[in-house]
Amino acid sequence: MARITKEQVKHVAHLARLSVTEEDVDTFTEQLDAIIGFAEQLNELDTDGVEPTTHVLDIKNVLREDEERPSFDQETALKNAPDQEDGQVKVPSVLE
Amino acid sequence: MSILEESFSSLHKKLHDRELKVSELVDASYTRIQEVDDKVQAFLTLNEEAAKAHAKKLDEALEQEDTRGMLFGLPAGIKDNIVTRGLTTTCASQLLSNFEPLHDATVIDKLQHAESITIGKLNMDEFAMGSSNENSSFQTTKNPWSLDHVPGGSSGGSAAAVAAGEVAFALGSDTGGSIRQPASYCGVVGLKPTYGRVSRFGLVAFASSLDQIGPLTRTVEDNALVLGEIAGHSELDSTSANVEVPDYLASLTGDVKGLRIAVPKEYLGEGVAEDVKSRVLDALKVLEDQGAVWEEVSLPHSQYAVAAYYLLASSEASANLARFDGVRYGVRAESATNLIDMYKETRSQGFGDEVKRRIMLGTFALSSGYYDAYYKKAQKVRTLIKQDFDKIWENYDVVIGPTAPTTAFKVGEKLDDPLTMYANDILTIPVNLAGVPAISVPCGFSGGLPVGLQIIAKPFAEGTIYRTAHAYEQATDHHKEKPEL
């Protein structure tokens, strides 16, 4: 049985904000199925009661004082923006 | 021979004895690049004008004050996922092909302070995802030892530039082996420091619980000198550790008497080439002759590391790479008329196949209904892998094995099958999952291609790694071999 379907691949592509052609969907379905099949070997291991590791260092909640610091001015901050208007980043319309 | 192949201490002496000017050293770097880089293709961007001006300034500064640090005036190459102010930083991706960072990474600030010179930016697999440099959107770097072989990856440009004598040293990054594997393939010394040892502020994030920046050099001593400059806590990276940076040079005692070496049987097992095994066993003999003792041990969960890694690293990547949406930077797709389509078109046109594949895998592993089965399961397996190492440190100082199961493979050989490509990282990935430091040092050749010896130690024991690697290096001549270009 396939571990991942074409419909799932289309859904995941949408979540990941990637546009995919039918050909891409075929390739991704095949490749992701193989990779996930490979990953299923992890199920050979009994991990009941094992704590998940998110991070290897013993560091938690590193905080600093909430104080004003110098930052880039507007013009500099927008230097790499593909499109801008009146000192703001410009994007295509959000609503249809 | 390129003058850049000389050790830092030799170059330091020549600069201070006025036998050599920084400007001459920098010119030598660009001359070498001109001679060999159309073959090697290590560099994506050169910083020639600024570097030459910087060199001139340093030459004048040396006139004023005659003692400078060990990296003073040395030409450095920087992997193209480390941001450099005003110098294009692409991550070898079309999506960032026009990106000019507004600030320097902390490691770049530190190198500025140490007065080394940024020669240019080095090729890599796109967003550091790959083991061959074939996933670069711009060019495939070649292995200086054999131009039809890959240099390894993802820091392939960094390893190749050092091996080809184009720079004195390079910085790379290592998420699953991306410094050590190319160092092994190109016959240079590459260290992945302990997770948190070096600030990652300004390193374009791939998998944040795994990424580390580290040095690639020709010798162990040079490597220790670079780490000494770039290591340390930075408040701009909340995952950088507030642990004192020792004097790594003081570790280079040449004495490994009584050093306890663990050799995992899994690291010399199936899939590891016979020649690679023999070179590693030869290296163990060299250390044994100097008074070290080694025993076979087991890291029983090693075989699960690759699967756990690809789930975890891809999941983290799918989140980290969400920022590349064509809004604030990067190359925006022009065709879309609404915002969602603009995101999709920008990302689909800008990212290459491997990056898309990993974003897809990571998004799937994190998606509703699959999170526990894949992502969380992999995090638990990560705990088991880390515990394997914790047990070893109770009785041993270092773990030794090969860096990679084989020598460099041919360009194009593994492109069609992602799983075969991933298997190549089987000996380096456990180190990242455990967060421990490891080095690759040259330990001989097989069919004319370099073999790398991997030395792993417990967290923040880079000094022990350098002591072991240096004692081995001093007893052998492998690091003196140079590719003919």
Side-chain angles (χ1 to χ4, degrees):
Chain A
M1 194 189 87
R3 294 170 192 91
I4 185 164
T5 63
K6 288 184 187 185
E7 285 314 306
Q8 277 175 303
V9 165
K10 286 180 189 168
H11 175 62
V12 168
H14 172 69
L15 291 177
R17 299 292 185 261
L18 290 169
S19 67
V20 282
T21 63
E22 283 302 319
E23 200 189 331
D24 293 335
V25 171
D26 288 345
T27 313
F28 277 133
T29 307
E30 192 186 314
Q31 289 179 339
L32 291 180
D33 191 67
I35 297 169
I36 290 159
F38 170 71
E40 276 177 359
Q41 62 173 293
L42 299 183
N43 295 328
E44 293 166 14
L45 291 170
D46 179 5
T47 53
D48 283 352
V50 176
E51 284 295 313
T53 296
T54 50
H55 197 285
V56 292
L57 286 179
D58 195 18
I59 295 178
K60 281 187 185 115
N61 295 340
V62 180
L63 302 172
R64 63 166 174 85
E65 290 303 309
D66 183 16
E67 58 199 11
E68 202 180 317
R69 291 184 180 194
S71 60
F72 296 124
D73 60 36
Q74 197 174 34
E75 194 188 335
T76 311
L78 285 169
K79 236 180 105 183
N80 281 295
D83 199 4
Q84 52 180 294
E85 196 175 303
D86 300 333
Q88 297 177 66
V89 165
K90 191 177 173 188
V91 294
S93 65
V94 179
L95 300 170
E96 296 288 329
Chain B
M1 174 177 142
S2 163
I3 188 165
L4 291 156
E5 289 171 2
E6 290 186 24
S7 70
F8 291 7
S9 62
S10 161
L11 292 172
H12 183 79
K13 188 168 185 307
K14 284 184 179 171
L15 289 167
H16 282 70
D17 290 349
R18 308 297 194 271
E19 277 176 44
L20 177 69
K21 285 185 163 196
V22 178
S23 302
E24 291 166 347
L25 198 51
V26 167
D27 286 349
S29 174
Y30 286 111
T31 303
R32 183 69 178 162
I33 290 168
Q34 205 157 37
E35 282 168 9
V36 300
D37 212 57
D38 59 334
K39 288 185 267 184
V40 179
Q41 296 183 274
F43 279 91
L44 291 176
T45 307
L46 294 177
N47 187 37
E48 192 160 355
E49 203 177 316
K52 287 185 170 173
H54 190 192
K56 216 172 145 218
K57 258 194 195 160
L58 292 185
D59 278 325
E60 286 161 12
L62 192 62
E63 296 303 318
Q64 306 296 317
E65 188 192 330
D66 63 349
T67 316
R68 319 294 281 202
M70 289 300 292
L71 301 194
F72 172 80
L74 299 188
I78 309 295
K79 188 177 181 180
D80 210 25
N81 59 350
I82 296 171
V83 301
T84 42
R85 185 158 53 94
L87 184 60
T88 312
T89 299
T90 67
C91 293
S93 180
Q94 286 294 346
L95 203 148
L96 287 181
S97 54
N98 61 358
F99 179 58
E100 288 197 5
L102 305 177
H103 62 84
D104 281 321
T106 300
V107 288
I108 300 299
D109 282 340
K110 284 176 177 271
L111 288 184
Q112 282 279 344
H113 177 78
E115 301 183 304
S116 69
I117 293 184
T118 301
I119 294 297
K121 304 300 290 288
L122 292 161
N123 197 28
M124 54 187 279
D125 289 291
E126 185 180 9
F127 287 106
M129 296 176 188
S131 310
S132 69
N133 262 240
E134 292 166 294
N135 295 335
S136 165
S137 302
F138 304 118
Q139 63 201 35
T140 298
T141 300
K142 306 300 188 305
N143 192 312
W145 293 91
S146 165
L147 296 170
D148 56 3
H149 287 75
V150 302
S154 67
S155 311
S158 301
V162 172
E166 294 174 296
V167 287
F169 69 94
L171 295 186
S173 68
D174 190 316
T175 304
S178 282
I179 289 173
R180 290 159 289 154
Q181 185 255 23
S184 172
Y185 282 8
C186 292
V188 300
V189 179
L191 178 92
K192 183 208 86 85
T194 308
Y195 183 77
R197 177 71 291 181
V198 175
S199 166
R200 300 176 302 167
F201 178 71
L203 172 68
V204 178
F206 161 13
S208 303
S209 80
L210 303 161
D211 300 338
Q212 259 297 285
I213 296 172
L216 294 104
T217 57
R218 262 175 295 278
T219 69
V220 174
E221 181 178 302
D222 294 351
N223 205 282
L225 285 165
V226 180
L227 183 67
E229 293 292 346
I230 63 170
H233 178 251
S234 148
E235 65 168 13
L236 296 171
D237 173 5
S238 62
T239 62
S240 74
N242 209 342
V243 174
E244 200 191 331
V245 181
D247 175 8
Y248 293 117
L249 276 194
S251 310
L252 309 182
T253 58
D255 181 9
V256 290
K257 205 168 285 170
L259 183 85
R260 299 164 304 167
I261 302 170
V263 180
K265 61 177 188 217
E266 293 83 2
Y267 283 39
L268 292 172
E270 206 185 324
V272 179
E274 284 306 319
D275 268 9
V276 171
K277 275 185 215 175
S278 335
R279 294 300 95 80
V280 170
L281 291 171
D282 291 347
L284 288 166
K285 181 80 175 53
V286 169
L287 289 165
E288 209 171 36
D289 288 346
Q290 296 180 71
V293 286
W294 71 269
E295 284 177 333
E296 191 178 277
V297 299
S298 176
L299 294 169
H301 298 98
S302 300
Q303 60 168 307
Y304 300 102
V306 174
Y309 170 85
Y310 276 93
L311 290 173
L312 295 173
S314 302
S315 297
E316 293 183 26
S318 75
N320 275 327
L321 272 62
R323 75 191 56 171
F324 301 108
D325 57 7
V327 174
R328 290 156 300 161
Y329 36 66
V331 178
R332 179 187 292 184
E334 294 298 338
S335 49
T337 53
N338 70 62
L339 187 64
I340 297 280
D341 284 350
M342 188 280 279
Y343 293 152
K344 287 186 175 178
E345 291 306 316
T346 293
R347 291 163 64 79
S348 298
Q349 291 170 25
F351 290 142
D353 289 345
E354 182 63 25
V355 173
K356 286 182 200 168
R357 189 153 48 231
R358 296 206 200 182
I359 290 174
M360 290 287 290
L361 175 64
T363 307
F364 173 75
L366 292 176
S367 67
S368 170
Y370 296 96
Y371 180 89
D372 283 348
Y374 295 109
Y375 183 69
K376 203 165 182 188
K377 181 77 184 181
Q379 285 186 313
K380 289 180 170 189
V381 174
R382 182 175 186 183
T383 304
L384 298 176
I385 289 163
K386 184 172 177 293
Q387 287 170 349
D388 283 354
F389 279 101
D390 290 344
K391 276 186 207 125
I392 295 293
W393 309 133
E394 291 169 13
N395 296 305
Y396 300 93
D397 302 304
V398 292
V399 168
I400 289 185
T403 306
T406 64
T407 53
F409 47 91
K410 282 196 166 158
V411 174
E413 194 179 300
K414 297 193 181 184
L415 260 185
D416 294 337
D417 182 1
L419 282 173
T420 318
M421 189 72 98
Y422 297 172
N424 194 59
D425 302 331
I426 192 160
L427 305 172
T428 47
I429 278 174
V431 165
N432 300 75
L433 292 173
V436 294
I439 204 167
S440 180
V441 288
C443 70
F445 293 82
S446 168
L449 292 165
V451 177
L453 182 75
Q454 185 172 213
I455 306 169
I456 307 165
K458 66 183 177 186
F460 300 102
E462 281 86 357
T464 309
I465 290 178
Y466 282 139
R467 174 162 65 97
T468 311
H470 177 253
Y472 172 74
E473 183 190 71
Q474 294 307 299
T476 54
D477 286 328
H478 308 305
H479 62 288
K480 293 178 186 156
E481 303 275 347
K482 306 283 188 283
E484 275 174 40
L485 276 163

